[in-house]
Amino acid sequence: MARAATTTDAFNAVAEPRRRQILDLLRARERPVNELVELLGLAQPQVSKHLRVLREVDLVHVRDEGRHRMYRLNPGPLQPIHDWLGAYEQLWNERFDLMDDVLDDLGKAETDDDGDD
Amino acid sequence: MTATTKGSATVTLPADNQILITREFNAPARLVWKAYTTPELIRRWWAGQRGTVTSVEVDLRVGGRWRYVMTANPGFEVAFHGEYREIQEPVRLVNTEAFEGIPDPDGNAALVTMTLTEKDGRTAMEMLVEHRDQEGRDAHVNSGMEGGMQEAMDALEELAASLA
């Protein structure tokens, strides 16, 4: 690791597509690391590194079961992201819905002007 | 039937410094472009349901500047400004976007690439907002937001603090 890890929160952690894939896989059920390696088609050290990041931001919990370490999703920290995106999306929906009205008017004006070209 | 497009915007985070906003419009690209770049039309949509647009300045040339101001509910003013970098009417507009509510707005400006793709009289819009870093992105999304947004950010701050 030449670069310092910059992942400090859940936002950052889920910005990486592979980590989102891991979360998707864990959404179904808890899994041991070898299963994730197989499903992702990545080398084990890579998967372990992603899991470590996800654990650091509390998106993944781990427990020992015999000789296996079982990883499971902890969705709590995703809630603020969900809310954050939802609010931003709502603003753009308000804007675009109003833009629809503007476009309606522009379209009507064009139709009215058709005879003038 | 514009009703079919209502509420259909999507926002995704392709990378930790990016926000991608997509929407389809039931109108040709030239009209979407017009609605997006004409001051008196911008006034009608840019504030959403959150307030009133009080000022729109658009100097639509490469190197030209723009500035939008809106007043949100409790007399709270929100202003953005920037510079046009690339203009290809009616398919592509690239501009910087600085939020005046943070320290060093221009130093923290985002680059916005808006593309329009017309097909069968309908137009798909993609707006890619690229920030210098994740903090810039988060500050941006937090700008001009009230209520639920603020709560979400508070929750996020608590989360971040709990991870520190």
Side-chain angles (χ1 to χ4, degrees), chain A residues 12 89 94-95 105 110, chain B residues 11 16 30 44 46 134:
Chain A
N12 234 331
E89 201 164 82
E94 289 171 13
R95 285 175 170 170
D105 292 349
E110 275 201 348
Chain B
V11 177
D16 67 5
R30 68 175 187 284
R44 290 179 51 186
W46 187 69
Q134 188 215 348

Side-chain angles (χ1 to χ4, degrees), chain A residues 84-85 88, chain B residues 11-15 17-21 127-131 137-138 140-141:
Chain A
W84 183 83
L85 277 176
Y88 193 65
Chain B
V11 177
T12 53
L13 308 175
N17 68 324
Q18 295 180 342
I19 306 167
L20 178 66
I21 302 152
M127 285 174 65
L128 180 68
V129 184
E130 292 177 274
H131 282 274
R137 182 199 67 184
D138 295 356
H140 170 128
V141 176

Side-chain angles (χ1 to χ4, degrees), chain B residues 107-161:
Chain B
N108 288 300
L111 191 69
V112 182
T113 302
M114 192 280 292
T115 54
L116 296 176
T117 310
E118 185 178 327
K119 193 181 171 201
D120 304 328
R122 293 173 72 86
T123 302
M125 179 193 285
E126 282 203 351
M127 285 174 65
L128 180 68
V129 184
E130 292 177 274
H131 282 274
R132 192 164 302 176
D133 53 29
Q134 188 215 348
E135 288 76 16
R137 182 199 67 184
D138 295 356
H140 170 128
V141 176
N142 193 26
S143 63
M145 297 287 171
E146 300 121 52
M149 187 68 237
Q150 200 50 56
E151 286 161 31
M153 292 307 287
D154 291 348
L156 182 69
E157 272 173 30
E158 278 172 38
L159 171 71

